[in-house]
């Protein structure tokens, strides 16, 4: 049976509009989007979903999730993670390489979407490691990982400290057509910190993390992106200074 999503505000990213419209879906595909109230004559033949006061969006994509399989299944699996994604309206996710073994090889990269296909809930796009075992020293085989299905590379919460290694990673990623995602944190500055360093952290006695620990690496990635011609996605920006730099 076809579905009539009625009375919602339809978000159209291609046109850049948010309008009150009705959507007709048949056999899993959108058949038409029309001004609200203009499909009344088809009402009796349609299953109606009342969407008044709601946003009707395309399937969402989360480009930074931690599925943790293989190796840390007690935290999350591909199935549980994609079940949560589907429940929240996300049709696809990109998962970080913080698994055990690390997603730094073709076998792990191929394993993850295979698990997603078995779960049959949301699509999963692997993000492979920039460096072997996330150690920040030697690059992984980007070409092999891309051929296995990786859509990008990241060292996730173990950022590459060596600027020369990061430069070569950007050059390699540009050649392979991979997206580079950078968690910007100088771990020497942030070590032991529990919250933003400032008046509040001093008042309550918790060790702080200075904003500079993020901003230093944001500035470096911008410089290296300019040098190599390879764009960088800065993950979870959290300081005013980082926003200004970007």
């Amino acid at each position: 049976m076809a579905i009539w999503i009625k009375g919602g505000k339809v978000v159209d990213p291609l046109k850049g509009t948010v309008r009150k419209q009705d959507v007709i879906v048949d056999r899993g595909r959108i058949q038409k989007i029309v001004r609200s109230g203009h499909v009344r004559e088809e009402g009796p033949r349609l299953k109606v979903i009342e969407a008044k006061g709601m946003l009707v969006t395309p399937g969402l994509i989360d480009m930074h999730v931690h599925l943790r399989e293989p190796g840390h299944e007690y935290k999350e699996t591909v199935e549980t993670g994609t079940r949560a994604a589907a429940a929240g309206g996300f049709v696809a996710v990109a998962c970080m390489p913080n698994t055990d073994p690390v997603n730094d090889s073709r076998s792990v990269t191929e394993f993850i979407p295979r698990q997603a296909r078995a779960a049959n809930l949301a699509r999963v796009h692997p993000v492979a490691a920039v460096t072997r075992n996330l150690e920040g020293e030697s690059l992984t085989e980007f070409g092999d990982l891309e051929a296995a299905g990786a859509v990008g590379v990241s060292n996730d919460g173990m950022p590459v400290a060596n600027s020369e290694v990061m430069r070569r990673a950007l050059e390699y990623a540009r050649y392979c057509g991979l997206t580079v995602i950078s968690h910007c944190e100088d771990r020497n500055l942030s070590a032991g910190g529990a919250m933003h360093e400032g008046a509040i952290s001093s008042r309550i006695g918790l060790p702080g993390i200075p904003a500079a620990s993020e901003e230093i690496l944001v500035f470096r990635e911008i410089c290296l992106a300019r040098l190599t011609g390879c764009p960088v996605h800065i993950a979870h920006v959290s300081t005013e200074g980082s926003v200004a730099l970007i």
Side-chain angles (χ1 to χ4, degrees):
M1 178 185 289
I3 299 170
W4 177 7
I5 304 174
K6 180 182 178 184
K9 289 185 176 179
V10 174
V11 178
D12 188 333
L14 294 178
K15 296 179 180 176
T17 59
V18 181
R19 295 175 181 161
K20 190 174 180 180
Q21 294 176 302
D22 291 354
V23 181
I24 305 297
V25 180
D26 191 13
R27 286 169 289 185
R29 292 186 178 273
I30 294 172
Q31 299 300 319
K32 63 174 75 172
I33 301 175
V34 298
R35 196 167 56 187
S36 278
H38 281 237
V39 288
R40 271 194 293 268
E41 68 279 3
E42 301 183 52
R45 295 185 283 114
L46 301 172
K47 175 184 175 182
V48 177
I49 296 176
E50 292 288 351
K52 185 177 180 180
M54 301 180 185
L55 291 175
V56 181
T57 73
L60 302 174
I61 299 172
D62 190 332
M63 62 179 291
H64 192 125
V65 305
H66 296 172
L67 295 183
R68 308 315 301 270
E69 185 180 7
H72 298 290
E73 288 83 356
Y74 68 98
K75 296 182 179 180
E76 188 78 277
T77 67
V78 173
E79 181 179 357
T80 61
T82 54
R83 188 175 300 281
F90 288 81
V91 298
V93 299
C95 60
M96 293 295 112
N98 54 345
T99 52
D100 184 16
V102 169
N103 183 9
D104 60 5
S105 67
R106 187 183 192 107
S107 60
V108 178
T109 301
E110 291 175 337
F111 168 81
I112 294 167
R114 190 162 63 243
Q115 292 295 93
R117 287 190 295 272
N120 195 30
L121 292 161
R123 293 189 298 276
V124 175
H125 303 291
V127 176
V130 173
T131 61
R132 296 185 187 281
N133 206 35
L134 301 177
E135 292 175 348
E137 296 177 2
S138 58
L139 296 179
T140 57
E141 294 291 344
F142 288 14
D144 202 35
L145 294 166
E146 190 276 333
V151 296
V153 289
S154 176
N155 257 31
D156 194 36
M158 303 294 289
V160 177
N162 187 311
S163 297
E164 171 65 11
V165 172
M166 195 61 181
R167 174 191 178 174
R168 300 306 174 197
L170 290 171
E171 291 171 338
Y172 196 2
R174 184 185 180 197
Y175 177 79
C176 294
L178 289 170
T179 295
V180 178
I181 302 171
S182 178
H183 169 115
C184 289
E185 178 187 354
D186 184 321
R187 290 167 64 85
N188 292 309
L189 284 173
S190 66
M195 63 176 294
H196 173 67
E197 180 181 286
I200 303 299
S201 65
S202 298
R203 189 179 307 149
I204 63 178
L206 283 176
I209 301 172
S213 69
E214 175 177 300
E215 293 160 10
I216 285 169
L217 258 69
V218 169
F219 184 71
R220 183 195 73 172
E221 309 306 43
I222 292 169
C223 290
L224 291 177
R226 184 182 297 122
L227 173 66
T228 62
C230 181
V232 180
H233 174 80
I234 307 297
H236 38 64
V237 173
S238 67
T239 79
E240 180 182 8
S242 293
V243 173
L245 286 165
I246 292 166

